[in-house]
Amino acid sequence: MSTFRLKLPTDPRWVNIVASNIEEILSDHAWCEQKAASNAITIITINSEYPDLVTDMLALAKEEIEHFEMVHNIIKKRGLTLGRERKDEYVGELAQYMKRSNIGSRVSGFVERMLFSAMIEARSCERFKVLSENIEDSELALFYRELMESEAGHYATFISYARKYGKGIDVEKRWAEWLEFEASVIAKYGKRETIHG
């Protein structure tokens, strides 16, 4: 399914749940963008020896913050309120898998962080696609179509760095394992008006 090879597609009926609470999906989405920017900064902090990675993560962090601002502008324009930052249980489960899978070497830890990041981008992109194709709100349909294209680029960036600096690690095999695990996680979601819920 799709270029991301996700094993389990989102049921389009999830959009009906989202449409019932636009304020919630927009607030959740805004915080997803903020966390994505923070993740890029963390990657810089722990991998500063790779100038190409630092350059690309700086650009990615800026773009994610711009996305946060775009979502916030829609929230303000509609007279809605940005809710409090909230936990993303889906991402939490992926983070636990990343920690358990890191066998201790620095290279292994790097690859796991890249694949964790790629996985979130891939699912977010897929969710944006489902939103853009199924939501009746024309402004949001266009917004999520444009965002989907941007997030696809982020996914590719993370995967390419895992391949570039994952010396001695079978990154393709590892990505296939991540895809299997993600399918088992996402199967529990799709019932709430959040990006990964």
Side-chain angles (χ1 to χ4, degrees), residues 78-93:
R78 293 181 174 218
L80 305 174
T81 304
L82 175 65
R84 303 292 294 175
E85 191 263 338
R86 68 283 313 278
K87 271 194 168 133
D88 188 325
E89 292 166 11
Y90 163 83
V91 171
E93 289 195 53

Side-chain angles (χ1 to χ4, degrees), residues 99-145:
K99 288 172 188 166
R100 287 195 304 272
S101 304
N102 180 6
I103 53 172
S105 81
R106 184 159 164 68
V107 174
S108 167
F110 176 83
V111 169
E112 290 304 308
R113 171 66 74 163
M114 291 297 115
L115 297 185
F116 161 78
S117 303
M119 193 79 259
I120 297 168
E121 295 286 355
R123 180 56 71 182
S124 299
C125 189
E126 189 259 0
R127 286 283 170 98
F128 293 164
K129 184 173 190 287
V130 172
L131 274 169
S132 73
E133 292 174 351
N134 294 281
I135 200 159
E136 291 182 6
D137 185 312
S138 57
E139 180 190 29
L140 291 183
L142 178 62
F143 177 64
Y144 281 109
R145 163 65 56 182

Side-chain angles (χ1 to χ4, degrees), residues 26-41:
L26 290 174
S27 285
D28 181 73
H29 178 192
W31 290 115
C32 285
E33 300 292 356
Q34 178 270 326
K35 287 169 190 161
S38 296
N39 180 55
I41 298 297

